[in-house]
Amino acid sequence: MPFFRALDLDQRPVFATAIATGLRKGELCGCRKDDIDLKRRLIFVRRSYDRPIPKGNEERVVPIPEALVPFLEQAIDSAPGPLLFPDESGSMRTPFWQPEDILRRALKRGGVVTSYTHVCRRKGCGYSADRQDATIEPCPRCGFKLWPKGNVRKIRFHDLRHTYATLLLMFGAQPKSVQKLLGHADPRTTDQYVHLLPDFMSQEVNRLQLGIESLTPARREDAGIVGKVSQSLSEDGSDLGIPLVSTPETPKVRGRNQSVSRAIPASYDTGCMGFEPMASAVTGPRYNQLN
């Protein structure tokens, strides 16, 4: 992906691990080489920075995806000392480490931007304009070429943890499993991490099978059928234009014999809106009459 190509080789393992395991920044900084079990494909999350227990006061085990293995092997082989992701001197990184700077620069170099600010290259001109593309054009004020600068969303390193949760759910993981993998005690916290993409949501709603495909207005052969079944409820004074079905018998209501129309809306069998199978929305005396 463009983002990873824009990273330096020694920067890729920590970002790959953040996206593929959902570990917090402190958990990555405190991770040691002996916390990695490549044979069983497991990471043991045992600390945050130098604290002997991670956030949530509970150790957890996170499976290692197959694609992450080469990055972890690189980190184990190249990092000096026992830490998996130390700083340049081999020491543990502090909470003041800001990988967001690396993240945003890589996104910009990879072209993962929200827009472009076109700035005039002529000194003193001062012209600039925000556009959605990076096409180089002349300045409308002085004729010099405009220089496009990519604008990156103010993403945090912690947002990679959100990416991990979202991708897991999009690929079919159970919400409870995602909660455990993230180390959340409250499932409501996990809900805040999920940002499903619009394209994915479109695919999800297309799973609905309503059985109405053959009833589209464009089908002329349906017009005659609709004309025949759309009739009023003449016996009870209604005029709804709803397809009718017949009831097998006339029931008693509150100890009295009362004539009930044998022609009732078919939607009563599936709810008044027709979308709630086996869940009738009819209540009150009318429900008693029908049941």
Side-chain angles (χ1 to χ4, degrees):
M1 59 187 299
F3 165 67
F4 273 99
R5 294 193 190 98
L7 288 170
D8 294 339
L9 288 176
D10 61 340
Q11 295 171 341
R12 294 177 183 177
V14 66
F15 283 94
T17 305
I19 294 174
T21 65
L23 266 63
R24 302 177 177 92
K25 183 172 73 170
E27 294 168 347
L28 290 167
C29 292
C31 189
R32 302 169 65 92
K33 295 179 181 179
D34 55 12
D35 294 329
I36 308 298
D37 188 338
L38 291 178
K39 185 177 180 179
R40 292 191 292 168
R41 302 287 192 266
L42 298 173
I43 293 181
F44 296 89
V45 185
R46 294 167 171 150
R47 61 189 65 81
S48 179
Y49 294 110
D50 57 353
R51 296 192 298 272
I53 193 168
K55 184 179 178 180
N57 299 324
E58 187 178 57
E59 296 183 6
R60 69 184 190 280
V61 180
V62 178
I64 299 173
E66 194 70 28
L68 181 60
V69 172
F71 293 96
L72 292 176
E73 290 176 338
Q74 176 188 343
I76 292 172
D77 293 339
S78 60
L83 294 171
L84 187 65
F85 302 116
D87 61 14
E88 292 75 8
S89 66
S91 302
M92 182 179 294
R93 298 181 186 273
T94 70
F96 298 103
W97 176 51
Q98 294 183 327
E100 290 85 358
D101 296 338
I102 301 173
L103 174 59
R104 294 172 188 172
R105 285 197 297 267
L107 288 172
K108 185 178 293 188
R109 289 196 300 268
V112 186
V113 298
T114 57
S115 63
Y116 293 88
T117 299
H118 292 251
V119 180
C120 182
R121 303 181 70 179
R122 183 174 186 176
K123 185 177 180 180
C125 177
Y127 176 84
S128 67
D130 289 336
R131 301 177 184 175
Q132 292 300 313
D133 61 81
T135 304
I136 297 178
E137 297 178 352
C139 175
R141 185 178 296 174
C142 68
F144 270 53
K145 286 185 178 180
L146 297 176
W147 183 257
K149 296 181 178 180
N151 299 315
V152 179
R153 185 169 63 89
K154 300 299 182 182
I155 189 172
R156 307 166 300 164
F157 184 79
H158 190 78
D159 290 331
L160 300 182
R161 187 167 155 84
H162 292 233
T163 301
Y164 173 71
T166 301
L167 289 175
L168 281 175
L169 289 170
M170 288 176 64
F171 281 103
Q174 296 297 319
K176 188 66 175 180
S177 300
V178 177
Q179 176 193 344
K180 293 297 183 182
L181 290 168
L182 291 172
H184 289 156
D186 190 340
R188 290 175 296 182
T189 306
T190 307
D191 293 340
Q192 300 173 9
Y193 277 59
V194 180
H195 316 280
L196 298 178
L197 301 177
D199 289 345
F200 173 77
M201 297 302 290
S202 297
Q203 295 174 12
E204 290 297 287
V205 299
N206 285 334
R207 297 174 184 267
L208 288 174
Q209 300 294 326
L210 302 178
I212 59 176
E213 293 80 3
S214 62
L215 303 178
T216 59
R219 291 181 56 122
R220 294 180 177 270
E221 59 269 25
D222 295 332
I225 300 175
V226 173
K228 293 178 182 179
V229 299
S230 296
Q231 50 185 295
S232 63
L233 303 181
S234 56
E235 293 184 81
D236 60 3
S238 299
D239 188 14
L240 303 178
I242 302 175
L244 307 181
V245 296
S246 60
T247 55
E249 59 182 355
T250 301
K252 292 183 178 180
V253 181
R254 296 180 182 176
R256 295 178 298 163
N257 289 327
Q258 182 174 338
S259 176
V260 179
S261 170
R262 293 181 180 276
I264 62 174
S267 61
Y268 284 171
D269 287 349
T270 57
C272 284
M273 297 302 295
F275 296 115
E276 309 91 338
M278 305 305 293
S280 173
V282 182
T283 60
R286 183 63 171 171
Y287 177 84
N288 294 332
Q289 294 176 3
L290 300 178
N291 294 276

